[in-house]
Amino acid sequence: MLDALRELETKAQAELQAAADTQALQAWNQAYLGRKGALAPFFQQLRDLPREERPLAGQTLNQVKQALAAALEARQEALKAGERAAAMVAEAIDVTLPGRPASIGRLHPSTATLRRIYAIFAEMGFQVYRAPDIETDMVNFELLNIPPHHPARDMWDTFYTTTEGVLLRTHTSPGQIRAMREYSPEPIRVILPGMCYRYEQVTARSEMMFYQVEGLAVGTEITMTDLKGVMAEYAKRMFGEGRSMRFRASHFPFTEPSVEVDMDCILCKGQGCRVCKYTGWLEIAGAGMVHPVVLRNGGYDPDVYSGFAFGMGVERPAMLLHGVNDIRYFFGNDLRFAQQF
Ligand code: FA5
């Protein structure tokens, strides 16, 4: 029996070393150490041995069983370690690769331009006044001296809500009424920035939504000279020293007299180019003295008070400053454009 046991141990050890995965180990375990395994009959035989042979045979049988169990455990550990090592190689992470940089947000080009404009007017004593994008027909048109039949409504047609008389503002001028009604009879010096909306053919120069900045000054001694000085100062600070200005007679229902404010073309320096349509001049704002009817609608007595107002785009000057040739880039949501600023 002892010889047979030794022989079995040698065979079992050899098979164990050959087992290459956990499945093979399980099969081996059943074949040798299991209830019906190769060792089990030896325990039966033990009972049939002569009394004097039993201690040595029993001891040897236990030794073999323990040796095989220990060998199984060692083999299991070795296999696991091998599997772990293989996985480390197969799923290796190259920690020397540089990390992906966190992307840092930046200001939208319109916002950046707006902030430049705020800074320029802040130094001239203008505060920012916020007015709503959603307006009533009354404030967007009627109180600005544009009654329902007025032809200017065609030029400033907009998008309407399903609520009668409520629309998206076409310009920032209705904010004039809101600021005047809040401050009258105090003097006012504000700029009113914000988004405007128009039922407009979208082209390289015209969007259906764009920013404007309105300016409004109301007091007892405000004259056209103040308007000219403020516009000239703005042009100089925004577009550089040595600007020439031109004030062209124009018409807006809410100002009287009304002007278009032009400056010499910054690209061709007044020589004439494609951008200024070979005139040498670029329009930078519509402006004028606040119409007496509008002053009255805002709560100021036009015999005592006067004021000037102007309204200008934001994307168009940004296009000039940064050499952008199509306004549609501003709200096209293409990061390749926005990231250049
Ligand atoms: C007005 O909107 C008047 N409310 C301006 C004003 C205010 C005059 C106060 C007098 C007193 P206008 O429609 O011209 O005017 O627009 C003013 C500026 O807004 C334009 O010079 C231009 O820079 C910008 N703008 C107008 N329409 C568009 C458009 N579709 N896309 C981009 N910018 C536009």
Side-chain angles (χ1 to χ4, degrees):
M1 175 174 158
L2 291 181
D3 289 346
L5 254 180
R6 291 286 171 220
E7 201 178 306
L8 179 78
E9 188 185 1
T10 315
K11 185 170 167 247
Q13 289 283 17
E15 271 179 36
L16 184 61
Q17 294 319 310
D21 53 34
T22 20
Q23 242 181 341
L25 285 189
Q26 261 171 9
W28 181 93
N29 188 21
Q30 264 185 350
Y32 290 99
L33 301 174
R35 234 167 11 100
K36 294 182 183 164
L39 271 185
F42 288 94
F43 286 95
Q44 298 276 342
Q45 287 174 31
L46 201 57
R47 261 179 266 144
D48 305 333
L49 281 182
R51 197 173 250 282
E52 62 282 5
E53 285 179 28
R54 266 190 231 160
L56 180 64
Q59 210 181 6
T60 313
L61 184 54
N62 273 330
Q63 275 171 357
V64 170
K65 190 180 172 190
Q66 275 165 13
L68 289 183
L72 173 67
E73 209 172 305
R75 184 76 188 128
Q76 267 169 342
E77 272 310 307
L79 270 185
K80 253 192 236 157
E83 277 167 18
R84 233 179 284 133
M88 297 253 278
V89 174
E91 299 159 22
I93 299 170
D94 183 354
V95 290
T96 62
L97 276 178
R100 291 195 192 107
S103 69
I104 299 168
R106 64 182 75 210
L107 294 178
H108 184 276
S110 297
T111 311
T113 312
L114 276 169
R115 291 197 181 178
R116 258 182 89 171
I117 297 174
Y118 300 162
I120 292 169
F121 283 103
E123 288 189 348
M124 291 192 264
F126 286 79
Q127 286 187 316
V128 170
Y129 186 91
R130 298 271 170 197
D133 290 24
I134 299 170
E135 260 301 358
T136 58
D137 184 280
M138 179 63 82
V139 184
N140 192 68
F141 291 124
E142 289 193 41
L143 295 176
L144 291 174
N145 217 12
I146 311 172
H149 60 266
H150 199 285
R153 287 205 176 213
D154 284 348
M155 185 171 75
W156 285 318
D157 198 9
T158 183
F159 303 100
Y160 297 84
T161 68
T162 46
T163 308
E164 178 78 24
V166 178
L167 43 80
L168 300 185
R169 64 174 171 193
T170 41
H171 47 179
T172 41
S173 300
Q176 289 187 33
I177 297 288
R178 293 185 178 273
M180 283 193 273
R181 288 191 168 180
E182 186 170 333
Y183 289 115
S184 84
E186 297 296 321
I188 297 181
R189 210 187 295 174
V190 290
I191 53 170
L192 307 104
M195 191 62 97
C196 304
Y197 309 85
R198 289 190 191 178
Y199 181 66
E200 186 104 81
Q201 176 72 51
V202 175
T203 67
R205 270 184 67 72
S206 296
E207 257 292 1
M208 53 157 200
M209 70 177 209
F210 52 93
Y211 279 104
Q212 276 190 349
V213 175
E214 189 91 2
L216 174 69
V218 179
T220 48
E221 283 165 18
I222 306 266
T223 67
M224 191 95 177
T225 316
D226 298 312
L227 169 65
K228 288 174 126 181
V230 166
M231 288 287 96
E233 191 63 20
Y234 163 72
K236 188 175 86 182
R237 294 194 188 199
M238 188 74 174
F239 299 102
E241 290 288 339
R243 295 267 71 85
S244 303
M245 305 298 292
R246 180 172 83 166
F247 295 81
R248 245 176 327 122
S250 185
H251 172 76
F252 295 102
F254 33 88
T255 44
E256 181 60 35
S258 301
V259 289
E260 297 285 352
V261 183
D262 296 344
M263 67 174 187
D264 56 332
C265 177
I266 57 170
L267 299 176
C268 64
K269 309 223 167 6
Q271 299 306 301
C273 67
R274 207 170 55 83
V275 173
C276 63
K277 301 200 186 95
Y278 302 98
T279 62
W281 294 98
L282 291 169
E283 179 196 313
I284 58 166
M289 300 306 290
V290 182
H291 195 289
V293 167
V294 176
L295 277 175
R296 198 173 294 114
N297 288 341
Y300 290 87
D301 179 353
D303 291 330
V304 181
Y305 293 91
S306 58
F308 70 74
F310 58 84
M312 54 200 189
V314 173
E315 286 76 23
R316 286 193 192 158
M319 287 166 78
L320 271 179
L321 286 170
H322 302 291
V324 178
N325 60 12
D326 197 317
I327 196 169
R328 287 168 287 201
Y329 286 124
F330 282 83
F331 302 110
N333 272 346
D334 189 337
L335 281 182
R336 288 172 303 178
F337 169 71
Q339 278 166 346
Q340 291 179 44
F341 291 84

